[in-house]
Amino acid sequence: MKYTVMIPAAGSGKRMGAGQNKLFLKIGEHPILYHTVSVFQEDPNCEEVIMAVKPEEQAAIQKILGQHAHAKSITFVEGGGERQNSVAACIAAYQGNGVVLVHDAARPFLKSSVITELVNTANEKGAAIAAVKAKDTIKYAENGAVKETLDREKLWLVQTPQAFRYQLLKEASDSAIRDGFLGTDESMLVERMGHEVQVVESSYDNVKMTTQEDLAIGEILLARRK
């Protein structure tokens, strides 16, 4: 089933401590962003890529992505100060009415099988998120003291993509902006409207490149894929 992917890529990546946009850092021969977008460039079901960027970085990003042998056209929009603002700009640029995905620009090791299941589930149910089961015991604490040990069997670590019927995502985004609500992901915006969000089990390989340690993991994952 066809879909459009929206990629907010206007962040600063401060936790990486690289002194530049972390998406420009290389894993293997290519920057992180190249690997991330390649997943969608090579997926025949992806109809369109809409990317929110900083205007001053657009030329550099276009140069990076233009290296792909099967480059699809990409619609660029100006990113906002917060992720939510960048996604809203992508939503405004979308001209269709189908299923849309929102994906972190710093998650380059997404599996196509996860995309397919997300798109199908979102088409049927309205909203779906990629996630993996928690491996560790998780405790709730206040002021350094444990208050509760949470049931690990019910806990999921949320990733992206997150997939939605377009009208549902637009309504949730518009509502959040109108109410001055800032969520940590798109699912949170949909949840606050009372709409159920389905979980699609993803892969632990779909790690977000956030720290220098993640880059080392990325090199291992890339070598394993090759």
Side-chain angles (χ1 to χ4, degrees):
M1 183 177 177
K2 302 296 184 181
Y3 66 90
T4 287
V5 63
M6 301 175 179
I7 303 177
S12 59
K14 292 180 181 178
R15 283 178 289 179
M16 184 67 76
Q20 62 174 319
N21 189 332
K22 67 179 178 182
L23 300 177
F24 297 162
L25 299 178
K26 288 186 176 182
I27 299 176
E29 297 179 359
H30 296 288
I32 293 169
L33 186 60
Y34 175 93
H35 293 292
T36 300
V37 177
S38 291
V39 174
F40 300 102
Q41 293 280 21
E42 295 167 6
D43 185 353
N45 289 319
C46 180
E47 292 188 306
E48 182 183 15
V49 178
I50 303 176
M51 186 177 298
V53 302
K54 295 176 181 177
E56 64 270 24
E57 293 180 344
Q58 182 173 331
I61 288 174
Q62 286 178 303
K63 184 177 180 180
I64 290 170
L65 301 182
Q67 299 172 20
H68 200 284
H70 306 288
K72 297 176 183 176
S73 61
I74 298 175
T75 299
F76 289 97
V77 297
E78 184 174 344
E82 300 287 346
R83 171 199 174 90
Q84 186 170 310
N85 304 124
S86 292
V87 174
C90 291
I91 291 171
Y94 179 61
Q95 300 297 314
N97 193 33
V99 170
V100 295
L101 271 59
V102 180
H103 186 58
D104 294 330
R107 289 188 190 272
F109 297 108
L110 173 63
K111 293 184 177 180
S112 59
S113 58
V114 175
I115 296 175
T116 299
E117 189 171 353
L118 281 167
V119 172
N120 291 338
T121 303
N123 182 57
E124 180 182 354
K125 302 289 187 179
I129 58 174
V132 291
K133 293 180 179 179
K135 295 180 179 180
D136 302 320
T137 297
I138 299 178
K139 297 182 183 290
Y140 172 74
E142 291 181 357
N143 300 319
V146 173
K147 299 297 183 182
E148 181 182 1
T149 299
L150 304 178
D151 184 356
R152 186 171 61 188
E153 295 301 313
K154 296 180 180 179
L155 298 176
W156 292 82
L157 307 180
V158 178
Q159 304 175 342
T160 65
Q162 300 190 354
F164 310 91
R165 294 189 196 126
Y166 168 70
Q167 288 297 337
L168 175 61
L169 178 60
K170 185 178 187 305
E171 184 180 350
S173 176
D174 290 347
S175 175
I177 292 172
R178 187 170 56 248
D179 296 342
F181 177 83
L182 188 64
T184 55
D185 67 355
E186 291 65 51
S187 175
M188 192 173 182
L189 307 187
V190 171
E191 291 165 34
R192 71 186 289 267
M193 296 177 61
H195 196 288
E196 189 173 78
V197 177
Q198 303 295 312
V199 174
V200 168
E201 188 162 5
S202 182
S203 165
Y204 292 100
D205 286 0
N206 188 25
V207 62
K208 187 176 183 180
M209 300 291 110
T210 303
T211 66
Q212 292 291 333
E213 290 77 12
D214 293 326
L215 288 177
I217 293 171
E219 293 286 353
I220 295 170
L221 292 173
L222 182 63
R224 192 167 70 187
R225 287 196 170 191
K226 288 182 177 180

